[in-house]
Amino acid sequence: MHSKAAVDIETIGRAVLAYAEGRLKLDPVPLDNPLTPAELLARVGQTVTPEGINGERALGLFTDVLAPACLSVDHPRFLSFIPCAPTPAAAMFDLVVGASSVYAGSWLEGSGAVFAENQALRWIADLVGLPPEAGGNFVPGGTIGNLSALVAARHTARARADGERPYRVAATFGAHSSIQSACDVMDAELVGVPTDAESRLTGAALRAVLEANDPRTFFAVVATAGTTNLGVIDDLASVAEVCRELGIWFHVDGAYGGAGLAAPSVRPRYAGIEHCDSFIVDPHKWLFAPFDCCALLYRDPALARAAHTQHASYLDVLNDSGEWNPTDYSVGLTRRARGLPFWFSLAMHGTDAYREAVERTLQVTRFAAQEIRRRPELELVREPDLSVVVFRRHGWSPEDYQQWSDRMLREEFAFVVPTKHDGEVLTRFAIVNPMTSEDDITSILDTMR
Ligand SMILES: *Cc1c(COP(=O)(O)O)cnc(C)c1O
């Protein structure tokens, strides 16, 4: 099975590369449609067999049936959740990562890959304004990134506290579900902070909640730089100030919105972010990398190392080396060099191209907001801070939103699902794909008349 003779590398290699090339050249990509388990079984049958079904057939089933049953998250009218729009360069390099058998958990095993990943991380650290010694790694997603940062925060707080064992995290109700999930995993208590009229976390509201609950019981404050549902950036400067004063770890969740740091037109909204103790951004959201890729950064990586390094006799050879081992900064041990597709594209195109691509999505977002304001049947729920637009269609019931959404998907025209805000069913665009155009926006809005 492993011998080069047992696999016709040339034939399968060509077929796999031809598929990848063909997929990346499609313009537009098909939106595609989900199938039921019964439909898939009827079309594909049992693929895992004692004898194997051979590569051509397996690839054929993927090409003809399985792939078309997966939505193309990079379709320009896929505007639900947070889409993912990898550059062709990043997507192609993902193939290289798979072919290279790199273990990127340690410097000893993956120095070349880790070096390149660290340069990409440094670009992000500079956007945030973190000091030269800042560092971290690329983890699978914002959920693991947030969890890892909070574990480091708690470890740090408990090492410093005398007597107290801080067990609480403060965040707004608009914070991402992964914060609650991380608190559940850690058996920590999440204390909600009310937002201001602009849906932002502010230092004043944070201070009131911390003081009402004994600040010494908190090990972290989570602010969001771009909430998932509304794209709100918290008032980071005033939050940072309260954290500094009370000596509480300041984590910024920029999983979606952190990419906006690259765009001069919105960069001032992040003022204060440079004071964070830890930060995440998902390049698989708005920085054009394929799944799965979250950049996790710490102001003082030694604090994260103390919390995350795994110890075992078989790991001493790595831990005693004093080298930069990415695995020491997050939950998990084995690591794919998942930052490399992002690095390759960033290195190839240059950071200016990233700035322009993020600005382009913001431009289309401003167009969408303006179109919504212009149409009497529609109403913006909030002026977008970033590239999320939430709006209502006057006179529509929740069922109307759902039926409209289902119809657009059935026609493979667009993927825009309903969302909820303050209990009201609404709809929402998340625009992170530079290929999403003004025409895409108008053609979707036209179907709501
Ligand atoms: C998407 C998102 C997350 C979770 O990231 P995953 O990569 O899906 O695990 C966390 N926080 C925010 C603000 C997000 O938008």
Side-chain angles (χ1 to χ4, degrees), residues 238-364:
S238 68
V239 171
E241 178 57 29
V242 171
C243 290
R244 192 196 53 74
E245 205 181 295
L246 297 175
I248 302 176
W249 185 287
F250 175 35
H251 174 64
V252 176
D253 177 357
Y256 149 65
L261 290 165
S265 70
V266 293
R267 179 62 180 82
R269 296 183 188 175
Y270 297 82
I273 198 169
E274 65 280 8
H275 300 300
C276 69
D277 292 294
S278 53
F279 169 78
I280 64 157
V281 58
D282 279 350
H284 71 214
K285 283 181 173 163
W286 196 9
L287 284 176
F288 325 120
F291 300 131
D292 50 11
C293 186
C294 167
L296 163 64
L297 283 163
Y298 299 93
R299 168 176 301 278
D300 181 354
L303 299 176
R305 212 155 50 229
H308 286 293
T309 303
Q310 296 188 18
H311 297 280
S313 51
Y314 41 85
L315 296 176
D316 285 348
V317 62
L318 302 176
N319 292 339
D320 295 344
S321 70
E323 285 160 340
W324 183 271
N325 297 321
T327 199
D328 290 345
Y329 302 95
S330 55
V331 175
L333 185 63
T334 296
R335 261 196 92 240
R336 169 181 171 83
R338 65 169 58 80
L340 284 186
F342 172 59
W343 161 79
F344 179 73
S345 179
L346 193 60
M348 173 172 162
H349 295 295
T351 58
D352 287 356
Y354 276 69
R355 182 190 63 224
E356 281 153 29
V358 174
E359 286 289 9
R360 170 70 187 139
T361 58
L362 289 165
Q363 193 182 359
V364 173

Side-chain angles (χ1 to χ4, degrees), residues 82 140-143 146 176 178 224 226 228 253 255-256 280 282 284-285:
I82 308 282
T143 300
N146 283 331
H176 190 263
S178 59
T224 312
T228 316
D253 177 357
Y256 149 65
I280 64 157
D282 279 350
H284 71 214
K285 283 181 173 163

Side-chain angles (χ1 to χ4, degrees), residues 397-446:
S397 68
E399 295 71 41
D400 292 328
Y401 283 102
Q402 190 60 55
Q403 282 165 14
W404 166 76
S405 171
D406 292 345
R407 180 165 44 87
M408 286 200 302
L409 178 58
R410 218 170 29 243
E411 293 168 0
E412 297 193 24
F413 173 67
F415 186 57
V416 181
V417 296
T419 188
K420 263 193 203 154
H421 178 60
D422 283 345
E424 182 188 358
V425 174
L426 302 155
T427 198
R428 168 181 171 279
F429 295 156
I431 301 167
V432 300
N433 185 343
M435 302 309 284
T436 301
S437 68
E438 286 83 353
D439 282 350
D440 290 319
I441 300 297
T442 5
S443 63
I444 295 172
L445 295 179
D446 285 349

